[in-house]
């Protein structure tokens, strides 16, 4: 690939499922506002097992959770309790600080259930990093679905192919889940400052160049391209406006200021973040400083 930057994922085995991370990377920190890109699964939990991401803090970012399979219970320090299922989207804006947990719901845990999906983080723009924390859950049927010629594309955030998602954008953002039958093709427009694609399932090519599954391909600015499935495939398109001010990432914190990250680290260690109602007995310890 001479005209696309390629980020190969680092893999983390969490026992019951695998997580593949493409951002942040030494070669690239952000694509538009996206500063963290994880794909988890596909996997299947045994009966009685499930996801248990204990309460942990975030600042100066927004998390976006989107599932292909399974279900996750989200709880946060605002008092939110929301169950996300495939095709819906959770947007949690951390702003000046929030704590949340993510766990497999009791019914799915009792029966054994699949898990597969994406979690991404969006940096908040200059002047908005310390906004009030907030949470949005948007159901699958409220996200635009574009269907044509063997392609079914759900617009998760932003405006694409003449449709606009109702989800809040703090910075101009595009994010879509593109499901394609073998042989189907669709255009990837050039309007966004920065764009990338990731083949989550199956096999696909871009302008005739095959794409390695799970890798993140950053596209040339200003160039329209054609995505084509060589088998049934699922491809994520993401990007948006380029940030002029660099962002720092440490543990669960993102900020333009290293001092702000250090403050958040001490606030978490000293118990100054709020608790999560209904899930306040456990927490994730702060990562050790490098």
């Amino acid at each position: 690939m001479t005209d696309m930057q390629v980020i190969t994922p680092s893999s983390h085995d969490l026992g019951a499922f695998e997580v593949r991370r493409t951002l942040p990377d030494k070669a690239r920190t952000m694509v538009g506002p996206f500063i963290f890109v994880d794909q988890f699964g596909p996997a299947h939990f045994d009966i009685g097992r499930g996801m248990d991401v204990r309460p942990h803090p975030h600042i100066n970012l927004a998390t976006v959770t989107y599932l292909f399979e399974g279900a996750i219970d989200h709880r946060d320090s605002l008092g939110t309790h929301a169950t996300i299922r495939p095709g819906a989207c959770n947007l949690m804006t951390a702003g000046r600080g929030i704590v949340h947990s993510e766990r497999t719901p009791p019914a799915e845990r009792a029966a054994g259930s699949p898990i597969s999906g994406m979690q991404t983080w969006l940096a908040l723009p200059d002047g908005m990093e310390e906004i009030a924390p907030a949470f949005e859950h948007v159901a699958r049927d409220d996200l635009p679905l574009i269907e044509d010629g063997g392609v079914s594309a759900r617009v998760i955030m932003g405006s694409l192919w003449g449709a606009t998602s109702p989800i809040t954008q703090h910075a101009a953002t595009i994010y879509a889940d593109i499901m394609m039958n073998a042989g189907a093709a669709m255009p990837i427009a050039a309007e966004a400052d920065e764009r990338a694609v990731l083949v989550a399932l199956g096999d696909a090519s871009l302008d005739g160049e095959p794409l390695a599954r799970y890798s993140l391909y950053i596209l040339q600015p200003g160039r329209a391209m054609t995505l084509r499935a060589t088998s049934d495939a699922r491809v994520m398109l993401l990007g948006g406006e380029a940030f002029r001010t660099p962002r720092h990432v440490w543990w669960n914190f993102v900020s333009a200021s290293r001092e702000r990250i250090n403050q958040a680290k001490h606030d978490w260690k000293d118990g100054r973040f709020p608790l999560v109602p209904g899930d306040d007995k456990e927490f994730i310890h702060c990562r050790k400083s490098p």
Side-chain angles (χ1 to χ4, degrees), residues 119-156:
Q119 184 164 91
T120 57
W121 298 355
L122 307 174
L124 295 178
D126 293 347
M128 296 186 67
E129 290 188 300
E130 297 290 329
I131 60 176
F135 179 83
E136 290 179 44
H137 173 88
V138 179
R140 178 188 64 183
D141 292 344
D142 292 328
L143 293 174
L145 187 66
I146 313 302
E147 297 180 290
D148 183 52
V151 176
S152 179
R154 179 166 281 110
V155 181
I156 304 169

Side-chain angles (χ1 to χ4, degrees), residues 81-93:
H81 179 201
T83 301
I84 185 172
R85 299 185 185 279
C89 182
N90 281 357
L91 174 71
M92 185 187 75
T93 301

Side-chain angles (χ1 to χ4, degrees), residues 2 8 49 57 67 89 105 139 152 172 228 237:
T2 57
T8 302
R49 300 286 300 278
L67 294 182
C89 182
S152 179
R228 186 177 301 275
L237 168 67

Side-chain angles (χ1 to χ4, degrees), residues 23-240:
L23 287 180
D25 184 83
K26 289 181 179 178
R28 182 94 182 204
T29 303
M30 300 176 68
V31 178
F34 288 85
I35 197 164
F36 178 97
V37 176
D38 266 6
Q39 180 185 353
F40 50 89
H44 196 282
F45 293 118
D46 293 335
I47 292 174
R49 300 286 300 278
M51 175 184 289
D52 282 299
V53 181
R54 294 165 291 152
H56 59 281
H58 291 287
I59 63 162
N60 293 188
L61 60 83
T63 67
V64 184
T65 305
Y66 184 82
L67 294 182
F68 306 147
E69 294 184 286
I72 298 174
D73 270 349
H74 165 97
R75 293 181 186 268
D76 63 42
S77 51
L78 300 175
T80 308
H81 179 201
T83 301
I84 185 172
R85 299 185 185 279
C89 182
N90 281 357
L91 174 71
M92 185 187 75
T93 301
R96 59 178 174 260
I98 200 167
V99 181
H100 77 131
S101 65
E102 294 172 300
R103 301 182 187 268
T104 299
E108 280 77 8
R109 191 183 297 267
S113 67
I115 191 69
S116 180
M118 305 289 299
Q119 184 164 91
T120 57
W121 298 355
L122 307 174
L124 295 178
D126 293 347
M128 296 186 67
E129 290 188 300
E130 297 290 329
I131 60 176
F135 179 83
E136 290 179 44
H137 173 88
V138 179
R140 178 188 64 183
D141 292 344
D142 292 328
L143 293 174
L145 187 66
I146 313 302
E147 297 180 290
D148 183 52
V151 176
S152 179
R154 179 166 281 110
V155 181
I156 304 169
M157 295 187 75
S159 297
L160 289 160
W161 309 295
T164 299
S165 166
I167 295 176
T168 297
Q169 297 180 71
H170 300 295
T173 305
I174 57 168
Y175 193 27
D177 173 21
I178 306 168
M179 294 155 282
M180 309 178 73
N181 295 337
M186 74 174 309
I188 303 297
E191 282 82 2
D193 290 348
E194 297 179 343
R195 303 161 298 154
V197 295
L198 184 152
V199 179
L201 300 167
D203 300 286
S205 64
L206 202 58
D207 279 1
E209 296 281 357
L211 304 175
R213 198 177 305 165
Y214 311 137
S215 290
L216 188 70
Y217 288 80
I218 292 93
L219 313 186
Q220 277 191 332
R223 176 178 171 182
M225 305 184 80
T226 299
L227 180 68
R228 186 177 301 275
T230 50
S231 70
D232 289 352
R234 189 166 210 153
V235 181
M236 306 304 291
L237 168 67
L238 59 92

